């Protein structure tokens, strides 16, 4: 019994209250579509990523922390809002605070892929190219997100959730309820309190960029009516690419900074370095 208590105490003391962890999930824009550039690869050990898949070519293993340089999702993904979210966070937080992200995203997926109880039926009808991405999470992206989040809770404290998803659910009026189902399951499975863990949801490529799914932003805007502790991150002015679905690298940088600005405001910090 003494040994068990000793191990329990060791685990308790290993959690750093100054290590702020954020869960990121969604489809291709959260996965990261733009090629990252040299300016995106500078190192700062205060910003960490918990690798959610094995990436031998990058020298990374699933479940291990690394200094956050792209790709932050899977091994061959691109720049994501999470990159500049983390950079902006550490630029405005006290020096003793670290930031960690966990990014589990699948291009082209509906929110149904993250439905804990019904994801199998969605996967069964998914195209082969998507199934190949899903396989990297052992067939269950939600399960992998929870697995990594529980591991992360041994190191720090989950402070928020970042979502960018909706293109594949365009005009789905019950999307907010579906997102709430995912959010509620995360709260339960990770023993989190909704009042302590805000959900930030980014708009899709905006109408001002000719966004092909911009009509979905009206539905995304209603999310706070369903999840009280949720906030919408504007994509207005965030540049898109010619497919009208994805952002440019600069668009991702700006969107990531906006996620950070909202989170910092909720935490009561002044934004000194925009």
């Amino acid at each position: 019994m003494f040994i068990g208590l000793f191990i329990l105490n060791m685990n308790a003391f290993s959690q750093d209250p100054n290590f702020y962890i954020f869960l990121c999930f969604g489809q291709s824009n959260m996965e990261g579509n733009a090629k990252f550039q040299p300016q995106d690869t500078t190192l700062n050990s205060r910003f960490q990523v918990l690798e959610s898949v094995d990436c031998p070519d990058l020298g990374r293993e699933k479940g291990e922390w690394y200094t956050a340089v792209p790709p932050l999702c899977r091994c061959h993904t691109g720049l994501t809002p999470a990159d500049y979210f983390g950079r902006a966070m550490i630029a405005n937080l006290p020096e003793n605070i670290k930031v960690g992200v966990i990014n589990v995203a699948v291009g082209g997926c509906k929110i149904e892929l993250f439905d804990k109880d019904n994801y199998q039926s969605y996967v069964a009808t998914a195209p082969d190219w998507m199934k190949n991405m899903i396989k990297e999470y052992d067939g269950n992206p939600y399960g992998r997100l929870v697995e990594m989040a529980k591991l992360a809770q041994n190191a720090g404290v989950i402070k928020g959730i970042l979502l960018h998803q909706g293109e594949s659910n365009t005009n789905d009026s019950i999307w907010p309820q579906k997102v709430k189902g995912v959010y509620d399951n995360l709260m339960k499975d990770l023993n989190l309190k909704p009042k302590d863990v805000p959900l930030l949801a980014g708009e899709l490529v905006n109408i001002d960029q000719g966004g092909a799914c911009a009509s979905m932003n009206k539905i995304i805007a209603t999310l706070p009516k369903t999840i009280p502790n949720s906030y919408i991150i504007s994509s207005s002015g965030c540049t898109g690419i010619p497919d009208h679905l994805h952002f440019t690298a600069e668009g991702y940088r700006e969107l990531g900074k906006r996620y950070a600005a909202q989170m910092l405001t909720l935490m009561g910090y002044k934004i000194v370095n925009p």
Side-chain angles (χ1 to χ4, degrees):
M1 183 175 180
F2 173 79
I3 294 174
L5 288 172
F6 178 74
I7 292 173
L8 184 64
N9 286 334
M10 280 184 63
N11 288 336
F13 283 112
S14 68
Q15 185 186 59
D16 182 355
N18 292 321
F19 188 15
Y20 294 176
I21 294 164
F22 300 89
L23 310 183
C24 309
F25 75 101
Q27 57 181 111
S28 57
N29 277 311
M30 184 56 81
E31 185 181 80
N33 183 262
K35 291 183 178 180
F36 44 89
Q37 300 165 352
Q39 71 186 84
D40 307 316
T41 60
T42 54
L43 299 174
N44 188 319
S45 61
R46 288 177 56 217
F47 179 27
Q48 300 272 308
V49 60
L50 184 64
E51 195 63 51
S52 59
V53 298
D54 288 319
C55 291
D57 290 348
L58 300 175
R60 301 180 189 176
E61 295 181 9
K62 182 187 77 172
E64 297 292 333
W65 289 102
Y66 300 92
T67 300
V69 293
L72 299 188
C73 191
R74 296 189 312 283
C75 314
H76 303 290
T77 52
L79 199 67
T80 155
D83 283 278
Y84 278 78
F85 167 78
R87 287 166 179 258
M89 291 294 287
I90 62 170
N92 289 280
L93 289 168
E95 287 284 334
N96 66 317
I97 295 177
K98 297 188 302 179
V99 167
V101 294
I102 303 169
N103 190 335
V104 173
V106 175
C109 78
K110 289 187 174 184
I111 195 66
E112 282 84 346
L113 180 59
F114 292 91
D115 182 333
K116 175 183 176 179
D117 299 314
N118 301 299
Y119 73 94
Q120 296 99 328
S121 60
Y122 178 76
V123 173
T125 61
D128 288 342
W129 57 265
M130 188 187 296
K131 285 180 180 176
N132 288 334
M133 291 189 283
I134 294 170
K135 284 178 183 176
E136 294 192 52
Y137 301 116
D138 288 337
N140 184 359
Y142 175 85
R144 179 61 55 84
L145 182 61
V146 169
E147 176 192 357
M148 294 297 101
K150 287 181 177 180
L151 189 61
Q153 286 177 310
N154 293 323
V157 181
I158 295 173
K159 291 286 189 176
I161 301 172
L162 280 58
L163 169 67
H164 199 285
Q165 194 279 334
E167 292 90 350
S168 294
N169 288 87
T170 296
N171 299 325
D172 181 354
S173 62
I174 61 171
W175 178 86
Q177 286 75 29
K178 294 175 181 178
V179 174
K180 186 177 188 298
V182 180
Y183 178 80
D184 288 350
N185 281 332
L186 287 171
M187 296 301 100
K188 181 180 178 181
D189 291 341
L190 298 172
N191 195 28
L192 298 170
K193 297 178 180 178
K195 67 181 180 64
D196 297 331
V197 186
L199 171 68
L200 308 190
E203 290 184 334
L204 313 186
V205 175
N206 207 274
I207 192 67
D208 65 14
Q209 300 294 316
C213 300
S215 62
M216 185 63 183
N217 289 337
K218 292 181 180 179
I219 294 174
I220 292 173
T222 67
L223 189 61
K225 296 178 181 178
T226 304
I227 303 175
N229 197 12
S230 65
Y231 303 84
I232 308 307
I233 309 304
S234 172
S235 66
S236 178
C238 293
T239 53
I241 64 173
D243 72 358
H244 303 292
L245 293 171
H246 300 100
F247 297 95
T248 64
E250 184 52 44
Y252 285 120
R253 294 181 192 114
E254 177 59 28
L255 192 61
K257 291 174 183 177
R258 292 180 186 181
Y259 275 97
Q262 179 66 74
M263 189 63 69
L264 289 162
T265 298
L266 293 171
M267 292 180 165
Y269 290 101
K270 291 184 178 179
I271 301 169
V272 179
N273 298 299

